[in-house]
Amino acid sequence: MKDRIFESKENYLETILILHNRNGEVRSVDIAAEMDFSKPSVSVAMKNLREEGCISVDKNGYISLTKSGQEIAERVYERHLLFTSWLTSMGVPEDIASEDACRIEHCISAESFAAIKEFVQKHGEGMPK
């Protein structure tokens, strides 16, 4: 169960990063729409992330990543981009590659990811553009 909670946390933080990069600002309603989750579920998750020090929420309801939240989100997003790109370079359709990357990004160790990243960079294939 702990792994699923951590994966959920990573998915929320990654989504906040993506939405912030796309729109410049993020609210719970944006996260709910992006992830196709209910507003109450997102509200509970944002409360937990705020209590863990991963996000801050201003008086207008805009959500920002804290330094620790940003670090987690960027790590997960980098993994997502690399795995999606790598899989599509091998002929996997992009939608399937993205779904598979979403699963892989949470369970791979830092050591294995670093080795794969180095291999992919060395061989020049599958690197995110």
Side-chain angles (χ1 to χ4, degrees):
M1 181 69 167
K2 187 173 183 155
D3 288 341
R4 292 193 70 191
I5 292 169
F6 193 70
E7 182 177 332
S8 176
K9 173 181 171 178
E10 288 180 337
N11 281 335
Y12 275 110
L13 295 173
E14 180 184 24
T15 298
I16 293 167
L17 175 68
I18 291 167
L19 289 170
H20 183 267
N21 290 344
R22 185 188 310 152
N23 304 331
E25 53 190 32
V26 182
R27 295 173 307 155
S28 289
V29 66
D30 304 320
I31 297 166
E34 183 76 13
M35 298 180 84
D36 196 26
F37 289 171
S38 72
K39 292 176 192 174
S41 294
V42 172
S43 180
V44 168
M46 293 307 103
K47 178 181 179 281
N48 292 337
L49 290 173
R50 192 173 60 249
E51 289 174 354
E52 292 177 26
C54 294
I55 64 167
S56 61
V57 182
D58 72 15
K59 62 181 173 114
N60 296 315
Y62 291 102
I63 300 165
S64 300
L65 295 167
T66 62
K67 184 178 180 198
S68 65
Q70 184 82 23
E71 288 170 359
I72 294 167
E74 287 176 356
R75 183 189 75 236
V76 174
Y77 192 50
E78 176 189 27
R79 290 173 176 207
H80 185 89
L81 292 175
L82 183 128
F83 287 126
T84 301
S85 183
W86 190 34
L87 291 167
T88 56
S89 75
M90 292 185 283
V92 178
E94 190 165 351
D95 59 332
I96 294 171
S98 183
E99 286 179 28
D100 288 344
C102 195
R103 288 186 200 92
I104 297 167
E105 69 195 26
H106 301 290
C107 63
I108 191 166
S109 69
E111 295 81 7
S112 292
F113 178 73
I116 291 169
K117 182 178 174 181
E118 182 180 334
F119 178 86
V120 169
Q121 287 174 332
K122 187 184 228 181
H123 292 85
E125 294 180 8
M127 284 306 297
K129 292 156 185 70

